[in-house]
Amino acid sequence: MSEGLFVTLEGGDGSGKSTQAELLEQWLVERGRTVVRTREPGGTDVGVEIREIVLHHRGDIAPRAEALLYAADRAHHVATVVRPALARGDVVVQDRYLDSSVAYQGAGRVLDPAEVRRLSEWATERLLPDLTILLDLPSEISRARLHGARTRYDRLEAEAVDFHDRVRASYLQLAEAEPARIVVVDAERSVGEIAAVIRARVEPFL
Ligand code: TMP
């Protein structure tokens, strides 16, 4: 049996993560792998409820409470979906994981990024991805893309441009700190080009 592989996709809103997750899944399935494509927040039944609160609650949520909600979603998701899939030898292709918390709650909400990271490490019993693809896009471009696609924004999307600039800068710092795990891909390239770069990075793990 093949060993499990945990791949996460990260990036700002509108960076094309979901499209790339789908394409990566198709490619892996063609290569005979069993794939679990999932996401955070909202990869479980409990997570769907947490997602509704963090993204659509009317009114403020204190930054630490928001960080705990994402961590709670992650704890349940890892325990009930991700770890069992990896134990079966599946490939988990996941839209967002702990780097999102460090970037959004750490840099975006201005909590201590190291503390936010530790919270997720506790929640997941230190499960780190084998590979993380960071789809990097200037905040103005992701905003323009979302603007074309949506008429309403969720709580995080509705944050000001400087929030999203901090998120992007934090992601890039994370990638610099962990170059062996996090690969930065220019999300302004075409869908096909990005998919090819991702496949080339995943291939050695198969
Ligand atoms: P999505 O729209 O890509 O599914 O992500 C939902 C939003 O939640 C997105 O704006 C990023 C945000 N988010 C955090 O702030 N912290 C986290 O830990 C995660 C997983 C997502």
Side-chain angles (χ1 to χ4, degrees), residues 22-39:
E22 255 177 71
L23 292 173
L24 180 59
E25 177 185 19
Q26 277 168 23
W27 179 74
L28 287 162
V29 168
E30 280 162 21
R31 298 187 51 127
R33 296 299 299 254
T34 303
V35 176
V36 173
R37 180 156 59 87
T38 184
R39 69 171 179 179

Side-chain angles (χ1 to χ4, degrees), residues 13 17 40-41 51 55 70 74 96 100-101 104-105 156:
D13 304 278
K17 290 177 284 89
E40 289 183 6
R51 184 179 173 94
L55 297 189
Y70 281 112
R74 182 159 303 132
R96 297 195 182 280
S100 280
S101 282
Y104 282 78
Q105 279 66 54
L156 281 293

Side-chain angles (χ1 to χ4, degrees), residues 162-184:
D162 68 322
F163 175 98
H164 292 283
D165 285 343
R166 288 198 301 277
V167 168
R168 182 190 185 203
S170 167
Y171 268 137
L172 291 172
Q173 268 174 21
L174 288 172
E176 230 178 271
E178 285 184 76
R181 173 172 70 90
I182 307 180
V183 176
V184 184

